[in-house]
Amino acid sequence: MPNRLAGKTALVTGATSNIGRAIAEEIAAEGAHVVVSGRNPERGAEVVDGIRARGGRADFVRADLDGSAAASRALAEEAGRVLGGRIDVLVNNAGIYPADSTAETDEKTFDEVYAVNVKAPFFLTAAVAPAMAEAGGGAIVNLGSWIARLGIPVGALYSSTKGAVETLTRAWAAEFGPRGVRVNAISPGVVLPSVPGEVHPAETMMKGTPAGRMGTPDAIAKAAVYLAADESSFVHGIVLDVDGGRTTAAVIAA
């Protein structure tokens, strides 16, 4: 089913690498005009050039989503301008992940992680969702994480921010769904770009799972397209686990 997003416009945050880049590329491949957003213009240009080389439509908009309402509003306004006055799809992907223990986490880090991972998507959604509703509808896809629901001994701060994002997903579905804006989330498992011949230490976290391996960014990107496209028009407020079964099946490691 090609061109599932033909004629649509999309804003993807944190789109210059890894999962965000894959999502931007996949959404563009499905026919949408995509704003690639991030902090690094060089990496942004690389993503945009790649999309255009494959016949897609993309532009880069630099944004430092520091959690301030002003930064989120500025991105919404500039992306809307570049996309011709409307945003049909918003993907809240940008985030930071310090793997510190609780005792090693200082207050500055705490505030920064909540600013980027929770405040920024909160105020960006606040800026975009009402305009979507006024234009007749749209779709918002948030990025959660498997460790929001399955504890691991590092990264408690990050885990808690993703728990907040998943809660916001359900709240926003209730708030904006009746106005034509669908809000859902994806909960990725252990996902990293594959490197031939290289075994990443994170592989150990997927041993004994149904998939038995790490995921790759394109798996998350395909899920994002599904949640953004009309085929999921009856899907509201879910957290779609794309984690190789990490959180749904007992892990029995050999």
Side-chain angles (χ1 to χ4, degrees), residues 7 10 17 24 26 28 31 53 67 110 112 131 152-153 158 161 164 178 182 206 229 234 254:
S17 63
E26 192 71 21
F110 184 101
E112 180 183 9
I152 62 172
Y158 174 84
T161 66
R182 294 185 303 104
M206 292 302 291
F234 201 52

Side-chain angles (χ1 to χ4, degrees), residues 172-238:
W172 286 336
E175 181 177 358
F176 297 114
R179 300 170 61 189
V181 179
R182 294 185 303 104
V183 185
N184 294 287
I186 300 169
S187 178
V190 182
V191 173
L192 290 169
S194 60
V195 179
E198 180 179 305
V199 178
H200 195 279
E203 287 275 13
T204 59
M205 291 189 285
M206 292 302 291
K207 288 184 178 179
T209 63
R213 61 174 176 81
M214 292 193 304
T216 54
D218 67 293
I220 311 304
K222 293 181 187 305
V225 166
Y226 165 69
L227 291 175
D230 291 342
E231 65 200 78
S232 62
S233 61
F234 201 52
V235 180
H236 290 260
I238 71 159

Side-chain angles (χ1 to χ4, degrees), residues 34-245:
V34 179
V35 160
V36 172
S37 178
R39 290 178 293 183
N40 188 305
E42 289 76 22
R43 292 196 304 183
E46 180 183 342
V47 177
V48 167
D49 289 346
I51 290 172
R52 290 176 177 174
R54 293 185 289 274
R57 298 180 66 198
D59 291 280
F60 175 71
V61 173
R62 188 186 181 281
D64 187 0
L65 294 175
D66 58 6
S68 67
S72 291
R73 281 195 299 265
L75 173 58
E77 290 170 4
E78 180 62 11
R81 185 192 67 78
V82 169
L83 294 171
R86 76 180 200 279
I87 299 170
D88 298 313
V89 177
L90 168 63
V91 180
N92 284 312
N93 168 76
I96 53 177
Y97 174 56
D100 298 338
S101 70
T102 298
E104 293 170 334
T105 300
D106 58 30
E107 186 175 6
K108 180 181 178 182
T109 300
F110 184 101
D111 291 342
E112 180 183 9
V113 175
Y114 261 84
V116 175
N117 293 7
V118 181
K119 286 184 67 180
F122 182 95
F123 287 113
L124 186 55
T125 298
V128 171
M132 281 182 173
E134 290 176 11
I140 297 174
V141 181
N142 299 320
L143 270 292
S145 173
W146 68 281
I147 58 174
R149 280 167 288 136
L150 189 64
I152 62 172
V154 292
L157 176 59
Y158 174 84
S159 300
S160 70
T161 66
K162 290 304 180 179
V165 167
E166 293 188 5
T167 297
L168 285 170
T169 297
R170 292 183 284 271
W172 286 336
E175 181 177 358
F176 297 114
R179 300 170 61 189
V181 179
R182 294 185 303 104
V183 185
N184 294 287
I186 300 169
S187 178
V190 182
V191 173
L192 290 169
S194 60
V195 179
E198 180 179 305
V199 178
H200 195 279
E203 287 275 13
T204 59
M205 291 189 285
M206 292 302 291
K207 288 184 178 179
T209 63
R213 61 174 176 81
M214 292 193 304
T216 54
D218 67 293
I220 311 304
K222 293 181 187 305
V225 166
Y226 165 69
L227 291 175
D230 291 342
E231 65 200 78
S232 62
S233 61
F234 201 52
V235 180
H236 290 260
I238 71 159
V239 178
L240 179 59
D241 293 315
V242 187
D243 63 4

